[in-house]
Amino acid sequence: MSPHKIPNEQWAQVIEDGNNKVEYKKIPVQKPGPDEVLVNIKFTGVCHTDLHALNGDWPLDRKLPLIGGHEGAGVVVARGDLVKDIEIGDHAGVKWLNGSCLACDFCQQADEPLCAKALLSGYTVDGTFQQYCIAKAAHVARIPKDVPLDAISPVLCAGITVYKGLKESGARPGETVAIVGAGGGLGSLAQQYAKAMGLKVIAIDTGADKKKACLEQLGADHFVDFMQSKDVVADVKKATPDGLGPHAVLLVAVNEKPFQQAAEYVRPRGTVVCIGLPSGAYLRAPVFDSVVKMVTIKGSYVGNRKDSAEAIEFFRRGLINAPFKVVGMSELQSVYDKMQQGEIVGRYVLDTSK
Ligand code: NAD
Ligand code: ZN
Ligand code: ZN
């Protein structure tokens, strides 16, 4: 049926048990079920969520042994009998949302990330740190053939998530959004989507490399270094023309502090959107200020199939250009080590052939 010869064995990065390490080894290639496709993953981004999965630091059980990864871009090489709307040879993306029931209240209204039966790639089912990955056909992202598979892979989680978060923020063209964790994977894409939506950007992160990338490459109008600033709240407010603060704040940092600070610098009537998932963290906001400023604080979790298609379309139109570095999949452990140290500017993308 397929012109692509599917091997019996493949390379994968496997978390065997709770020892916080990945093992690069050969494992069998799985066969797709009736409603599934098998995607030959060419490139896959490394999201900080994969590091949470490795460390097991979330209050959500992961599958073990586990193959992580949920920003996988590749080619469909096999499909189940029920799959009619995606062809062998099509380009497809395996996202965090590997599948959902499509029947519950949330699925019916396209809030499928909220589905209680959702399958999560690289967390509750095996993900994209392998050469051949299975996903539900209904949920794989359709990737146009003129889009490069390495550059699109970070869009499949980071891009979709921040695009959705910006929509949830309600910020309108010409308004200002503060992006907290701006130099990381989600943050760098958030700046590009924000620019494409006509928003002004205050980037918040730390270090000379991230500052340079934000101001010179990603289009931030201002940069606040949270390590060097003596008063982050005052500095963020000062970065808006009238000193009243940004209309929206996108929290994509992996640190509790900014989740307890954002409500203080957001503009009256502004919205704080929580996206990052630092382990064990709590939100905090002064009740008095939140009330008299009429502040909205909300969470935002990946995106649905339509958000995914829209985020990919922004990329296809040439509006999104964020730094990424390609290394072999065999080097995943060293990528995790760099990520743990906060050293990564933008995203690392794994080439599954190396
Ligand atoms: P990343 O490691 O690439 O980037 C995090 C950035 O936050 C780094 O640049 C770091 O320097 C910066 N940072 C740390 N402390 C900070 C502080 N106090 N102020 C400002 N910046 C600070 O991580 P990522 O891949 O972009 O993921 C970010 C988080 O988002 C993770 O917790 C991940 O699990 C989560 N996530 C959530 C969703 C969702 O749907 N809600 C989707 C994807 C990822
Ligand atoms: Zn992710
Ligand atoms: Zn459902």
Side-chain angles (χ1 to χ4, degrees):
M1 181 181 161
S2 141
H4 177 100
K5 194 168 164 353
I6 302 166
N8 294 324
E9 274 201 327
Q10 58 164 342
W11 285 102
Q13 286 281 13
V14 187
I15 304 169
E16 287 292 347
D17 49 36
N19 69 359
N20 301 2
K21 289 265 175 279
V22 278
E23 198 179 320
Y24 188 55
K25 61 185 210 177
K26 281 210 150 177
I27 60 161
V29 173
Q30 305 294 315
K31 291 204 168 33
D35 60 346
E36 294 173 338
V37 289
L38 183 68
V39 182
N40 176 203
I41 303 291
K42 300 290 188 191
F43 294 97
T44 173
V46 184
C47 178
H48 206 111
T49 292
D50 299 311
L51 185 55
H52 293 296
L54 179 74
N55 292 338
D57 63 15
W58 279 352
L60 177 67
D61 283 340
R62 62 197 160 147
K63 166 185 180 292
L64 278 177
L66 173 70
I67 298 165
H70 56 275
E71 290 184 343
V75 182
V76 176
V77 292
R79 61 178 196 177
D81 288 343
L82 299 175
V83 180
K84 302 291 181 217
D85 63 341
I86 186 159
E87 303 298 326
I88 305 297
D90 281 359
H91 290 184
V94 178
K95 315 178 271 90
W96 177 245
L97 215 68
N98 187 286
S100 73
C101 81
L102 300 175
C104 71
D105 256 20
F106 298 110
C107 282
Q108 285 197 43
Q109 57 199 14
D111 254 341
E112 59 238 25
L114 305 182
C115 176
K117 293 182 185 155
L119 305 173
L120 310 175
S121 303
Y123 204 94
T124 63
V125 295
D126 284 336
T128 58
F129 297 155
Q130 56 181 334
Q131 292 172 309
Y132 293 87
C133 182
I134 285 175
K136 298 290 181 193
H139 281 283
V140 289
R142 274 62 176 166
I143 300 176
K145 288 231 170 108
D146 57 345
V147 165
L149 293 174
D150 53 357
I152 198 68
S153 62
V155 171
L156 296 170
C157 172
I160 292 166
T161 300
V162 298
Y163 172 69
K164 173 72 159 188
L166 286 164
K167 288 208 287 188
E168 289 285 321
S169 80
R172 291 182 299 205
E175 295 185 341
T176 301
V177 58
I179 296 169
V180 189
L186 267 64
S188 56
L189 280 154
Q191 292 180 67
Q192 286 283 289
Y193 278 96
K195 285 318 246 190
M197 292 170 167
L199 296 164
K200 288 182 272 191
V201 170
I202 302 169
I204 307 171
D205 209 312
T206 191
D209 292 349
K210 287 178 183 168
K211 179 177 182 181
K212 190 169 186 313
C214 292
L215 291 173
E216 293 176 20
Q217 207 176 351
L218 294 162
D221 301 282
H222 298 273
F223 184 86
V224 175
D225 189 317
F226 72 88
M227 294 283 272
Q228 295 200 340
S229 167
K230 291 198 176 62
D231 186 343
V232 170
V233 172
D235 286 347
V236 173
K237 283 183 161 179
K238 243 189 277 163
T240 54
D242 56 9
L244 292 175
H247 300 78
V249 182
L250 233 59
L251 289 164
V252 293
V254 194
N255 192 315
E256 186 177 41
K257 181 80 199 270
F259 287 78
Q260 306 193 340
Q261 208 171 38
E264 291 179 47
Y265 54 68
V266 75
R267 194 181 190 80
R269 198 46 108 183
T271 302
V272 176
V273 184
C274 304
I275 295 175
L277 293 159
S279 88
Y282 281 81
L283 276 162
R284 199 164 72 108
V287 170
F288 187 84
D289 286 359
S290 305
V291 171
V292 302
K293 281 169 62 181
M294 297 186 74
V295 170
T296 302
I297 302 175
K298 65 196 317 198
S300 185
Y301 183 38
V302 287
N304 65 14
R305 288 167 292 166
K306 182 78 173 139
D307 299 316
S308 306
E310 289 172 6
I312 290 169
E313 179 60 9
F314 266 69
F315 182 94
R316 195 198 59 76
R317 289 167 60 205
L319 300 170
I320 307 301
N321 193 354
F324 65 93
K325 191 166 176 208
V326 179
V327 298
M329 184 165 70
S330 56
E331 292 178 49
L332 176 59
Q333 186 65 53
S334 71
V335 176
Y336 281 144
D337 296 342
K338 285 193 187 70
M339 184 176 267
Q340 189 86 56
Q341 299 305 317
E343 285 171 11
I344 297 178
V345 183
R347 247 315 177 244
Y348 267 69
V349 168
L350 308 179
D351 176 343
T352 65
S353 71
K354 293 183 197 152

